[in-house]
Amino acid sequence: MNAVAKKMPGSGLRRPLPGFGLSLGFGLGWLGVVVLLPLAALLLHAAGLGFSGWLRALHDERVQAAVKLSFGASFAAALAAAFAGTLVAWVVVRYRFPGRRLLDAMVDLPFAMPTAVAGIALTALYSQNGWIGRWLEGMGLKVAYTPIGIVIALVFIGLPFAVRTLQPVLETLGREPEEAAASLGAGRFTTLRRVVLPELLPAVLTGFSLAFARALGEYGSVIFIAGNLPYKTEIAPLLITIRLEEYDYDGAVAIAALLLAASFVCLLAINAIPALFKHARRRDG
Amino acid sequence: MKHRTFLAGLALALLAGSAGAANHELLNVSYDPTRELYADVNQAFAAQWKKQTGEDLTIRASHGGSGKQARAVIDGLEADVVTLALAADIDAIADKGKLLPANWQSRLPQNSTPYASTIVLLVRKGNPKKIHDWDDLVRPGVAVITPNPKTSGGARWNYLAAWAWASQQYRDGDKVLDYMTRLFKNVPVLDTGARGATTTFVERGIGDVLIAWENEALLTLNDPETRGKYEIVVPSLSIKAEPPVAWIDKNVARHGTRKQAEAYLRFLYSAEGQRLVAKHYYRPAEPDLVPAAERANFPTVKWVTIDGAFGGWKKAQATHFGDGGLFDKIMQAAR
């Protein structure tokens, strides 16, 4: 495999894109303009604040409350999305039932929908006179305008990431390992725990981290259902907007850079888990 | 070859576009609840302009949160005129964008405010919580809906109206702060804009009282869908909400639209403009130009002005709404 891959650029194969160098240049160019340049501008501006400016932004109690809420709610939402997403992916890949294609298509809806529309719809459902909120509030559970509402909005926008990263893995996995496990006398739970889940775990974690990162920066769907009370239900992206409304570009950038740095660390940690897991398994085998 | 024709065509189209736009297009950057008002005004003014000059004029309008709109103009949205919720936002365009002179507010009559409004309380039919004035809003068990003054220009008027009443009532600064803290303790949802707060109160059924602009309250009262479900309570003291207008000198110079922009804004002060203003529940700046029957919506309200009670927007903005200002202190104490 490796030998073939190494030979590729020099081999006489006809490739659909002209010139490796040209394609790579274009790819990097686009990536640079669209992703790296804005990020660099943000970091440059943040660097201009100096360390003391950063610390000041970190020390503000309201910023801390908002950042804590954003990370906590995003983590909970990503966890829920990973769990529900795994179930949805399993059902769509493994079973044949009427409406399967429709369900499969509907998974992508949160990608296509303006998030503000989702936020307004969710708020209408979960507020005290909404279809669902009416019942929940009767049982003493307030959802809209509490952190629970924030988590629900974040699960909504994070779910497709979990499903779409898992689906291809499930499709290539096939049933043979399960059948082999069953023929060797493993029960359903053992098969799930020792055969299926280890294969799926890297994809589940990738879906989790994507949903987490997306949730952290989400604004549109959340502000309608959040309640936006400082220290209680105010998310970090809203605080960034508030700093901008005060023409305090430095303050906005400080919070943004804080979020960026923290989420980068989280993503690194999450991505390190599958590698660790692989090591552990290799030692077992 | 093909590419060159395409590029030439594109350049021609751009040239034609900009030449055509030079005299015949105006962009009015406004705030959210003026959508219906300017839809009417733009049509009426374009017709009048056509009659006077023979020129076809297209007026485009952009609506959004007032502060956001101001920032968009500073960042390069090429507004010919701005019609925003408060002078502080146009001050920011003069201050940070240097797009118009600092004395812009003295260029048009009535402090460049062709229409005004005031802050009232909207309660549910029958006024079940017996809310009659500002002190009723801090009673335990009363839920108050108002948007966030940090993100909504309209909410700043709400806040200052309550402040004006409290400072007349209590005199002492600490007692005023205490009143405001108790008021915001009673706020269960802090929407980012005025329309959002109205939705929370009207559609979601949250809260017992909505602090609102009179024009938004009258709109809710007269909306066929919500008619008969709400009442307006006029507090004993309120504030005169003055949403000012201005042309943006740098942009009209570049577009060659100075004449049109100024005529457009002066049209707002004309009899026709003032009648449209009253029709959309704003208080006309020249009430004598509007038939008495069309002014019947507006009761006499005792109010203070931003200049009289707060020393103008620059001062109010810095004292109350800046980072670490009084509103931040209130929210910190209210948690």
Side-chain angles (χ1 to χ4, degrees):
Chain A
M1 254 316 261
N2 274 339
V4 176
K6 259 182 208 149
K7 262 174 75 184
M8 273 291 280
S11 72
L13 275 173
R14 247 185 91 88
R15 274 160 289 139
L17 279 179
F20 172 68
L22 191 65
S23 320
L24 183 70
F26 259 113
L28 286 182
W30 273 113
L31 190 71
V33 171
V34 177
V35 180
L36 297 180
L37 204 63
L39 276 183
L42 175 72
L43 289 178
L44 208 67
H45 196 136
L49 292 176
F51 198 61
S52 59
W54 247 72
L55 278 188
R56 193 177 58 89
L58 271 168
H59 261 287
D60 186 39
E61 256 185 278
R62 187 162 159 204
V63 173
Q64 282 181 3
V67 169
K68 254 186 230 158
L69 175 67
S70 271
F71 273 92
S74 299
F75 191 84
L79 218 56
F83 179 75
T86 305
L87 280 184
V88 172
W90 185 273
V91 166
V92 167
V93 171
R94 284 298 173 85
Y95 297 99
R96 293 291 172 271
F97 54 92
R100 187 183 69 96
R101 301 284 292 268
L102 189 70
L103 180 70
D104 192 34
M106 264 172 29
V107 168
D108 282 334
L109 215 56
F111 278 150
M113 215 164 154
T115 50
V117 174
I120 290 169
L122 287 173
T123 313
L125 277 181
Y126 285 100
S127 69
Q128 67 184 24
N129 59 0
W131 288 349
I132 303 177
R134 190 175 307 172
W135 294 101
L136 291 178
E137 218 142 288
M139 298 188 298
L141 185 68
K142 252 179 82 72
V143 173
Y145 314 119
T146 70
I148 304 173
I150 299 178
V151 172
I152 287 180
L154 295 180
V155 171
F156 177 85
I157 54 132
L159 192 67
F161 288 99
V163 179
R164 291 301 181 229
T165 48
L166 201 61
Q167 243 173 338
V169 180
L170 268 177
E171 267 156 14
T172 52
L173 185 61
R175 289 161 189 268
E176 294 82 0
E178 290 160 57
E179 285 163 1
S183 70
L184 290 172
R188 286 167 100 169
F189 182 69
T190 314
T191 310
L192 193 69
R193 190 170 63 89
R194 305 210 48 169
V195 178
V196 180
L197 281 186
E199 288 300 323
L200 299 186
L201 199 67
V204 173
L205 280 172
T206 307
F208 172 86
S209 53
L210 285 174
F212 177 75
R214 174 80 172 82
L216 209 54
E218 176 60 17
Y219 178 82
S221 62
V222 182
I223 51 159
F224 294 99
I225 203 167
N228 307 325
L229 289 180
Y231 305 101
K232 287 180 196 139
T233 51
E234 186 174 61
I235 54 166
L238 176 62
L239 207 51
I240 294 177
T241 313
I242 286 175
R243 291 289 179 262
L244 288 178
E245 299 286 344
E246 291 164 349
Y247 300 98
D248 178 7
Y249 291 91
D250 286 351
V253 162
I255 304 173
L258 181 68
L259 277 188
L260 189 68
S263 60
F264 191 67
V265 170
C266 284
L267 287 183
L268 272 185
I270 292 162
N271 282 311
I273 296 174
L276 289 176
F277 201 76
K278 238 179 233 165
H279 275 296
R281 279 181 71 205
R282 212 167 289 157
R283 241 179 286 130
D284 280 354
Chain B
M1 197 52 212
K2 226 182 199 172
H3 280 263
R4 201 167 295 166
T5 341
F6 172 72
L7 280 177
L10 190 69
L12 260 177
L14 282 175
L15 268 176
S18 61
N23 303 328
H24 302 297
E25 203 167 279
L26 278 183
L27 174 61
N28 175 6
V29 171
S30 194
Y31 65 110
D32 256 333
T34 58
R35 204 175 299 268
E36 297 83 6
L37 167 65
Y38 280 108
D40 274 10
V41 166
N42 293 352
Q43 208 180 5
F45 176 70
Q48 198 199 62
W49 189 252
K50 171 90 177 160
K51 221 189 288 164
Q52 275 175 5
T53 65
E55 194 178 279
D56 282 309
L57 190 65
T58 312
I59 305 160
R60 292 181 300 141
S62 154
H63 298 272
S66 190
K68 236 179 243 129
Q69 295 288 75
R71 245 190 8 259
V73 173
I74 292 170
D75 292 342
L77 177 62
E78 300 219 349
D80 297 281
V81 304
V82 290
T83 53
L84 296 177
L86 35 92
D89 286 329
I90 305 183
D91 279 341
I93 298 174
D95 217 39
K96 314 212 184 269
K98 311 266 180 251
L99 296 174
L100 72 170
N103 69 346
W104 61 269
Q105 207 164 2
S106 59
R107 298 191 300 192
L108 284 167
Q110 309 272 13
N111 264 337
S112 291
T113 309
Y115 43 84
S117 191
T118 188
I119 304 303
V120 296
L121 309 173
L122 191 70
V123 298
R124 301 188 191 281
K125 184 81 197 165
N127 198 354
K129 291 270 169 114
K130 305 264 173 288
I131 288 157
H132 301 293
D133 205 354
W134 292 106
D135 52 350
D136 295 315
L137 304 194
V138 298
R139 281 203 321 251
V142 171
V144 181
I145 303 297
T146 179
N148 189 341
K150 293 274 191 173
T151 50
S152 156
R156 275 173 236 174
W157 290 111
N158 293 358
Y159 166 104
L160 292 175
W163 184 282
W165 175 85
S167 55
Q168 202 191 49
Q169 186 81 4
Y170 299 116
R171 306 282 165 194
D172 175 41
D174 283 346
K175 282 190 185 148
V176 175
L177 263 181
D178 178 59
Y179 168 82
M180 294 301 286
T181 304
R182 284 191 290 148
L183 176 63
F184 276 94
K185 253 190 187 152
N186 276 354
V187 175
V189 181
L190 216 47
D191 283 288
T192 53
R195 276 277 157 99
T198 308
T199 308
T200 299
F201 184 72
V202 173
E203 311 269 331
R204 314 267 177 269
I206 309 275
D208 304 303
V209 51
L210 173 76
I211 309 181
W213 285 49
E214 182 184 53
N215 61 303
E216 286 279 274
L218 284 170
L219 201 64
T220 306
L221 225 57
N222 291 304
D223 183 348
E225 264 186 52
T226 50
R227 200 192 297 266
K229 289 186 183 161
Y230 301 94
E231 294 175 20
I232 289 179
V233 172
V234 178
S236 63
L237 185 76
S238 191
I239 193 166
K240 185 183 181 196
E242 299 163 292
V245 300
W247 63 86
I248 304 293
D249 298 61
K250 281 249 171 81
N251 293 346
V252 293
R254 195 174 322 141
H255 303 159
T257 48
R258 163 73 200 252
K259 201 172 50 165
Q260 290 86 343
E262 194 176 339
Y264 175 65
L265 294 182
R266 288 199 184 274
F267 172 77
L268 293 170
Y269 294 88
S270 71
E272 196 181 354
Q274 291 286 294
R275 285 185 72 169
L276 287 176
V277 158
K279 183 185 146 199
H280 290 280
Y281 308 117
Y282 280 100
R283 290 174 179 241
E286 314 279 358
D288 299 342
L289 297 179
V290 178
E294 291 168 33
R295 279 184 275 135
N297 275 323
F298 311 114
T300 314
V301 174
K302 208 177 138 214
W303 62 32
V304 299
T305 62
I306 182 84
D307 291 340
F310 296 93
W313 262 113
K314 276 210 175 75
K315 206 169 151 219
Q317 182 72 25
T319 319
H320 292 273
F321 307 117
D323 187 21
L326 288 170
F327 178 69
D328 279 348
K329 289 211 171 72
I330 288 164
M331 287 318 292
Q332 200 167 12
R335 77 187 143 131

